[in-house]
Amino acid sequence: AQTIHQWPVAEIKAVGSPLSLGCTIKGKSSPNLYWYWQATGGTLQQLFYSITVGQVESVVQLNLSASRPKDDQFILSTEKLLLSHSGFYLCAWSPGLGTSAETLYFGSGTRLTVL
Amino acid sequence: SQWGEENLQALSIQEGEDVTMNCSYKTYTTVVQWYRQKSGKGPAQLILIRSNEREKRSGRLRATLDTSSQSSSLSITGTLATDTAVYFCATDAHNNNAPRFGAGTKLSVKP
């Protein structure tokens, strides 16, 4: 069975400080990977996606970056946090079947508070 | 009803009641997915209904899809307190195969 693990569970950071969030997917080779951001009470905003190692596409510009250093790992980072970065970050994977709308499998998320 | 540009909708009902949540979308889609997100957790898919299906059932859940009106609904019969969550509909993406999510409906089921 496939599993997805996100870390950390929560972070409290200062404005201007760096950030690194990660997720690991086990039991599935070559998945599509995604980062989503969710404001409190908000919808899911896709940030980045990756279909293969080393290749990441940005969907929205939020002064964040993402990398896929391994097939099963996806990293979200920034060098300088803004207050607006606060929220709930979700990593997700899909089977990469090439269909028009794949089922997403989400991690448990990281709650980020920027002060 | 929900879509991405609208505010989160909220419903509050008593356990045992039936509920229907609606979703309207603006562009053609081949599937509508419904996800449930419990507090502090990631969303999980409940049901996927394709454009050639008008109705799909899964346990206490029933999804409908009307492509002519570009709308979908999710009904839950005999709700339980554990059904308390935010429910999102999601349609085809325009790229990268990831679905696009609506604004969500916050359902509170009181025991």
Side-chain angles (χ1 to χ4, degrees), chain B residues 44-105:
Chain B
Q45 189 198 65
L46 295 174
I47 202 164
L48 182 152
I49 183 167
R50 301 187 182 281
S51 58
N52 62 351
E53 300 173 306
R54 292 188 60 83
E55 177 182 300
K56 194 163 188 179
R57 293 177 184 268
S58 177
R60 294 183 294 111
L61 306 177
R62 172 178 172 263
T64 67
L65 179 57
D66 184 341
T67 54
S68 62
S69 65
Q70 295 188 307
S71 63
S72 177
S73 70
L74 177 70
S75 298
I76 307 175
T77 56
T79 54
L80 305 170
T82 52
D83 292 325
T84 294
V86 178
Y87 293 79
F88 293 98
C89 67
T91 59
D92 291 359
H94 299 296
N95 54 35
N96 72 66
N97 301 328
R100 293 183 63 209
F101 287 85
T105 297

Side-chain angles (χ1 to χ4, degrees), chain A residues 1-88:
Chain A
Q2 301 86 5
T3 61
I4 178 169
H5 172 61
Q6 268 191 257
W7 74 89
V9 172
E11 280 268 43
I12 300 176
K13 305 279 280 186
V15 170
S17 62
L19 174 76
S20 181
L21 307 179
C23 75
T24 299
I25 293 83
K26 297 297 184 185
K28 175 64 181 175
S29 62
S30 304
N32 287 355
L33 298 178
Y34 309 87
W35 278 111
Y36 282 83
W37 174 80
Q38 186 178 33
T40 301
T43 191
L44 297 151
Q45 173 64 63
Q46 190 185 153
L47 300 176
F48 298 94
Y49 70 97
S50 171
I51 61 172
T52 192
V53 175
Q55 183 177 326
V56 177
E57 299 294 330
S58 173
V59 178
V60 293
Q61 295 294 328
L62 285 179
N63 293 308
L64 296 167
S65 61
S67 64
R68 186 172 179 175
K70 303 177 183 178
D71 186 54
D72 64 353
Q73 194 174 78
F74 208 19
I75 306 296
L76 181 71
S77 61
T78 183
E79 293 186 359
K80 288 187 178 182
L81 279 166
L82 306 173
L83 285 173
S84 58
H85 286 138
S86 291
F88 196 45

